[in-house]
Amino acid sequence: MEAGGGGGGDAPVRKRRRTRFSDAPVEGGGADASAQAMEGLKKVNEKLRPSTEKQGSSLSAGDRLAVLSARLGLALGKVPQSSQLKAPTQVDITSIPVKPVASLTVNQNRAREEKLKKTLKVEKADLLETDPTKNEYFDPRLGISVSSRNKRSFKFVEPGTYVEKGEKLREKAELDRLQDELRQKEKKSAKTPQALLLKSEQAEEIPAVEWWDVPFLKNGIYDDLEDVENLRLDRVTTFVHHPIPTRIPNEEPPPPIPLLLTQRERKKLRHQKRMEKEKDRQQQIQMGLIPPPAPKVKLSNMMRVLATQASQDPTKVEATIRKQVRERQDAHEARNEARKPSKDERAARQVEKVEKDKSSGLHACVFRVRDLRHPQHRFKININAEQNSLTGCAIYNDSCNIVVAEGGSKGLNKFKKLMLRRIDWSITADLDQEEEAAEGGKDNGIRQDTVQENRCVLVWEGQIPRQAFKRFMATPIPVQEDARKVFRIRRVEHYWDTALAFPMHDDSVGQREL
């Protein structure tokens, strides 16, 4: 219900209106209020006409009227009635100028830096002005170094660069190979007798005066030693000077100790090597380098592997499988024969083992046996000495049967076990049938007691500097002087003397447990 302009019976009603431009109350007065609003609008238009003319034709007449109406309402605090004013038209959004907004991070950072430059009033990109005229807070004594990232650029390789590097590497490898060959030749030549003799002569050069005699010689020479006055006897004391031991010039360094593995570690290492070899073979089969192996058919899996063929002709399939089994067995035996060392290789290996055993040191053992008439005892002694590569002798004498063995520690230990454990010394040679018939029962009982007392004792064992015998020999020598002569010509007559003086009647003497 709108407010009327005049009288009537009813009193005028004051209404409160709200508009989109102002919250101020508008008093409804009819024609007076409209005339007052139009006059105010004219005044505002006259004041704002220059500013609207400057904007140009970007806004239409209706839009400018709406803007002016809003400004007038803000100025007076009142808004004219909507029925007397023309409503503003719809504004075109595309015609309104819009400020561009950065969407990429790089552009946003650049815009942020530009804004920060304007705020800090600096011109450099690092936002640190080092010019005192522009930055009054900068102190040049601080020595601030601004780090800048170098711009990346393409680096092209000149033709022939890598070829030249390869040539240099090949030349260096060839030079290293020649130097290694020269070192090997020098090592080989240093081990020759001439080089060792020359080296020993250089190392053993005798000086004119020994250093330990210099403090006691007044003149420093040995020519005037006939006169006692040329010696400084006051320096002679009861003390003994022990020089510091020096290294032998020709001594070679000890060989490196090999890596010792337990049985479990050796099995594990062997298993790993076999697995790597099998994996390599499988990869070659997958790549097509070698053909895949044929299926291993046996009589037990014949029906499973060859189902169709076995059902059609089982007799033929069985014959074929038996033939394949024989072929595999023959191939297995052939491989074993190929791996088996020949007779010469076994002999060379045995010689190598003996030399290695002797390199650790030579040892000797002297045994005394009461009775060595039995041929079985003699054969065992000779053949074991030959198998263990021992040298020495076995002298058969009625008063003293002596056995001497020389060699490495391993072979000598086996020979000691033979002499002291394995041989049954109670067995002896049977007497001649004629002597047994001529002798009575009493004598036979005495002989039997003597046979049971036969035994072998270890007289002496120890390390020796050299071997006195070239081979192992066994010979009967009835005369003691001739037997001692065999040892005397080899400068080991003490073997005979010690064995001859060794007591055989005491059971506790000479028995040693191995």
Side-chain angles (χ1 to χ4, degrees):
M1 183 176 182
E2 295 182 358
D10 297 333
V13 179
R14 184 178 181 180
K15 296 183 178 179
R16 184 179 180 88
R17 297 178 181 176
R18 291 183 179 274
T19 63
R20 57 178 292 190
F21 302 108
S22 175
D23 292 338
V26 178
E27 296 180 0
D32 298 337
S34 300
Q36 186 178 0
M38 293 300 295
E39 291 178 359
L41 181 61
K42 291 179 180 180
K43 292 180 182 180
V44 173
N45 287 335
E46 291 176 358
K47 293 181 180 181
L48 296 178
R49 186 179 292 111
S51 61
T52 55
E53 290 178 356
K54 291 180 181 179
Q55 292 179 359
S57 61
S58 60
L59 298 177
S60 61
D63 296 337
R64 289 198 298 270
L65 180 60
V67 173
L68 292 176
S69 300
R71 291 181 179 179
L72 179 60
L74 294 175
L76 298 178
K78 297 179 180 180
V79 179
Q81 294 182 4
S82 57
S83 61
Q84 299 179 1
L85 293 177
K86 185 180 180 181
T89 60
Q90 188 71 20
V91 180
D92 189 8
I93 299 176
T94 58
S95 62
I96 301 175
V98 180
K99 185 178 181 181
V101 180
S103 59
L104 297 177
T105 307
V106 177
N107 296 334
Q108 291 177 0
N109 294 340
R110 186 176 299 173
R112 193 179 297 109
E113 289 181 1
E114 295 295 335
K115 184 177 181 181
L116 189 60
K117 286 180 185 179
K118 293 179 181 180
T119 304
L120 299 177
K121 298 180 180 180
V122 294
E123 298 178 357
K124 293 187 177 182
D126 55 0
L127 306 179
L128 180 62
E129 185 62 57
T130 57
D131 190 0
T133 58
K134 297 181 180 180
N135 187 3
E136 58 180 349
Y137 303 105
F138 176 72
D139 189 358
R141 295 174 299 177
L142 297 177
I144 299 175
S145 59
V146 180
S147 60
S148 61
R149 181 179 179 182
N150 297 329
K151 186 177 181 180
R152 294 182 180 179
S153 60
F154 290 104
K155 294 182 180 180
F156 298 97
V157 181
E158 296 294 334
T161 302
Y162 294 107
V163 176
E164 185 178 357
K165 289 183 179 180
E167 292 293 338
K168 289 182 179 180
L169 291 176
R170 282 189 285 271
E171 291 177 1
K172 184 179 179 182
E174 183 67 18
L175 182 61
D176 294 341
R177 186 182 64 81
L178 294 176
Q179 290 179 354
D180 292 339
E181 290 181 358
L182 290 176
R183 293 194 195 97
Q184 295 294 334
K185 290 181 180 179
E186 290 178 357
K187 288 182 179 180
K188 291 181 179 179
S189 61
K191 294 181 180 181
T192 58
Q194 296 82 1
L196 293 176
L197 181 60
L198 181 61
K199 190 175 181 180
S200 61
E201 289 179 356
Q202 294 176 356
E204 296 177 0
E205 183 179 356
I206 300 176
V209 180
E210 298 291 349
W211 61 271
W212 54 78
D213 294 335
V214 173
F216 304 99
L217 300 176
K218 290 183 179 181
N219 301 328
I221 56 176
Y222 292 127
D223 298 338
D224 55 355
L225 291 180
E226 297 178 358
D227 192 357
V228 185
E229 295 180 356
N230 295 328
L231 297 176
R232 297 176 180 176
L233 300 178
D234 54 338
R235 297 189 176 184
V236 178
T237 61
T238 57
F239 300 103
V240 179
H241 179 71
H242 298 278
I244 300 174
T246 58
R247 180 179 174 273
I248 301 175
N250 299 333
E251 184 180 5
E252 295 182 357
I257 301 176
L259 182 61
L260 302 178
L261 301 176
T262 60
Q263 185 178 4
R264 185 176 181 181
E265 291 173 343
R266 289 195 299 269
K267 286 184 178 181
K268 185 177 181 180
L269 187 62
R270 178 175 177 270
H271 177 71
Q272 290 177 355
K273 290 182 178 179
R274 290 168 65 91
M275 289 295 293
E276 291 177 359
K277 186 177 180 180
E278 180 64 21
K279 187 180 293 184
D280 188 14
R281 189 179 69 86
Q282 292 177 2
Q283 290 178 357
Q284 291 181 0
I285 293 174
Q286 293 175 359
M287 296 170 63
L289 300 177
I290 58 176
K296 188 175 181 180
V297 185
K298 299 181 291 185
L299 294 177
S300 60
N301 62 355
M302 177 181 64
M303 299 301 298
R304 185 172 65 254
V305 178
L306 305 174
T308 307
Q309 299 178 8
S311 60
Q312 292 177 357
D313 194 353
T315 305
K316 181 180 178 180
V317 172
E318 181 181 355
T320 306
I321 292 173
R322 290 186 183 277
K323 182 180 177 180
Q324 293 179 359
V325 171
R326 286 194 301 269
E327 290 177 355
R328 288 197 296 266
Q329 182 68 22
D330 296 340
H332 174 71
E333 293 177 357
R335 287 194 300 269
N336 288 347
E337 288 294 333
R339 285 196 299 266
K340 185 183 297 183
S342 62
K343 186 177 180 180
D344 297 337
E345 292 177 351
R346 289 196 299 268
R349 189 177 299 177
Q350 182 66 23
V351 172
E352 184 180 356
K353 288 182 179 180
V354 172
E355 294 298 330
K356 184 178 179 180
D357 188 17
K358 290 182 180 179
S359 62
S360 60
L362 295 173
H363 299 266
C365 291
V366 180
F367 303 92
R368 181 178 176 181
V369 185
R370 179 167 292 174
D371 189 359
L372 265 178
R373 293 180 300 166
H374 203 294
Q376 183 180 358
H377 296 167
R378 296 183 180 184
F379 174 78
K380 289 182 178 180
I381 291 173
N382 295 336
I383 195 65
N384 277 271
E386 182 180 353
Q387 290 176 354
N388 294 316
S389 302
L390 301 178
T391 60
C393 65
I395 304 299
Y396 310 137
N397 187 274
D398 295 338
S399 60
C400 181
N401 296 300
I402 181 173
V403 179
V404 178
E406 300 173 338
S409 59
K410 291 184 179 180
L412 206 58
N413 287 334
K414 295 179 181 180
F415 192 77
K416 285 166 62 178
K417 291 179 181 179
L418 170 76
M419 297 293 292
L420 300 178
R421 288 186 182 180
R422 293 168 54 193
I423 295 180
D424 185 8
W425 296 106
S426 61
I427 303 174
T428 184
D430 296 334
L431 299 177
D432 296 336
Q433 298 295 333
E434 297 178 358
E435 294 181 359
E436 291 180 357
E439 294 179 355
K442 184 177 180 180
D443 295 337
N444 290 338
I446 297 174
R447 175 59 61 183
Q448 186 69 21
D449 296 340
T450 306
V451 170
Q452 292 178 358
E453 293 178 359
N454 185 26
R455 62 174 183 158
C456 173
V457 294
L458 178 61
V459 177
W460 177 84
E461 66 173 334
Q463 194 168 2
I464 57 176
R466 57 179 179 82
Q467 289 179 317
F469 299 88
K470 294 183 179 180
R471 59 184 181 84
F472 192 86
M473 60 179 185
T475 176
I477 302 177
V479 184
Q480 293 188 8
E481 294 297 332
D482 296 341
R484 191 176 188 278
K485 185 179 179 181
V486 174
F487 296 98
R488 183 168 53 80
I489 61 178
R490 293 173 175 80
R491 299 180 181 180
V492 288
E493 60 272 11
H494 55 279
Y495 289 170
W496 175 265
D497 298 338
T498 306
L500 189 62
F502 195 83
M504 293 289 293
H505 58 277
D506 191 358
D507 295 339
S508 62
V509 177
Q511 298 294 335
R512 302 185 182 181
E513 294 294 337
L514 296 178

